[in-house]
Amino acid sequence: GRKAMNNFESAYFKEGEPFNACILDASAPLISTSSHENLVSTIVYATDPTMQLATISYGEMVVNNGRHINRDEIVRQFSATIKELKNR
């Protein structure tokens, strides 16, 4: 993953670099019952949006409990765009 993104650092987290993370619900049944051997495969191939608790982008929580911090503005702009397109 990191190498594909031109990141050849050996450390996953480097001091001073922005922190980005997807925080999953460890109590979700598919995650909580996965063996350590299968956990990565479970996360990559078997999770769904209900298992995501939060998203941290550049050190700021942008999604918490499934709700984007700018949700209201995103919905407003999306609705205005759809109305402008007049295809619904």
Side-chain angles (χ1 to χ4, degrees), residues 58-73:
Y58 285 85
E60 291 189 37
M61 189 162 314
V62 295
V63 176
N64 191 13
N65 290 322
R67 187 177 173 102
H68 194 282
I69 61 170
N70 296 323
R71 181 188 183 280
D72 294 339
E73 180 62 16

Side-chain angles (χ1 to χ4, degrees), residues 2-23:
R2 289 180 313 198
K3 290 179 184 177
M5 295 174 55
N6 202 32
N7 178 353
F8 296 94
E9 296 290 333
S10 59
Y12 284 99
F13 303 105
K14 187 175 179 184
E15 190 174 325
E17 291 293 316
F19 181 68
N20 299 301
C22 173
I23 301 171

Side-chain angles (χ1 to χ4, degrees), residues 24-47 51:
L24 299 177
D25 181 0
S27 69
L30 283 175
I31 295 173
S32 66
T33 59
S34 288
S35 66
H36 286 283
E37 181 180 293
N38 293 324
L39 184 57
V40 171
S41 292
T42 298
I43 290 170
V44 171
Y45 299 112
T47 56
M51 297 176 194

